[in-house]
């Protein structure tokens, strides 16, 4: 991976997640992802965050910014805590994983 490209750290939590799962809080996700990136020597990290957005909809500000940076060839890698953070629609999530990212 080119070190000048962004290592995207994507975090998302919906209000429903926020009420039921403290381990998935935005701050917890950020700390986890930054620690993982540091341990694995992924540099030039940038957070893309959607706080309070459902994973069923991919028209989220953080995700849209991430997609734009990918299209502009700025991102070398995308990290997220787990695939449910990327999206809850598994077909669309699979599309992004296989064909877009």
């Amino acid at each position: 991976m080119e070190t000048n490209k962004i290592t995207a750290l994507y975090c998302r939590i919906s209000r429903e997640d926020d009420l039921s799962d403290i381990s998935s809080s935005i701050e917890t996700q950020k700390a986890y992802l930054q620690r993982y990136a540091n341990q694995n020597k992924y540099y030039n990290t940038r957070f893309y965050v959607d706080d309070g957005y459902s994973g069923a909809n991919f028209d989220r500000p953080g995700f849209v910014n991430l997609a734009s940076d990918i299209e502009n060839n700025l991102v070398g890698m995308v990290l997220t805590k787990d695939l449910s953070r990327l999206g809850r629609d598994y077909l669309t999530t699979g599309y992004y994983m296989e064909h877009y990212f």
Side-chain angles (χ1 to χ4, degrees), residues 2-88:
E2 296 177 44
T3 57
N4 62 331
K5 292 216 175 182
I6 295 166
T7 298
L9 308 178
Y10 182 75
C11 306
R12 182 195 61 79
I13 193 163
S14 69
R15 288 296 150 223
E16 293 80 22
D17 292 333
D18 199 21
L19 295 174
S20 65
D21 190 2
I22 191 68
S23 68
S24 290
S25 75
I26 291 295
E27 292 309 313
T28 301
Q29 289 178 54
K30 283 181 166 183
Y32 175 85
L33 292 171
Q34 189 65 65
R35 184 173 50 251
Y36 182 87
N38 292 344
Q39 289 172 345
N40 290 280
K41 298 182 170 80
Y42 297 130
Y43 304 110
N44 194 20
T45 59
R46 181 180 300 168
F47 285 102
Y48 297 82
V49 178
D50 286 314
D51 191 356
Y53 289 86
S54 170
N57 177 356
F58 285 84
D59 187 24
R60 307 181 300 257
F63 188 83
V64 169
N65 289 337
L66 171 60
S68 175
D69 284 351
I70 291 170
E71 289 171 3
N72 288 312
N73 203 29
L74 300 174
V75 175
M77 177 178 292
V78 177
L79 300 175
T80 190
K81 179 179 171 278
D82 61 57
L83 292 180
S84 70
R85 299 304 90 204
L86 189 59
R88 295 285 189 174

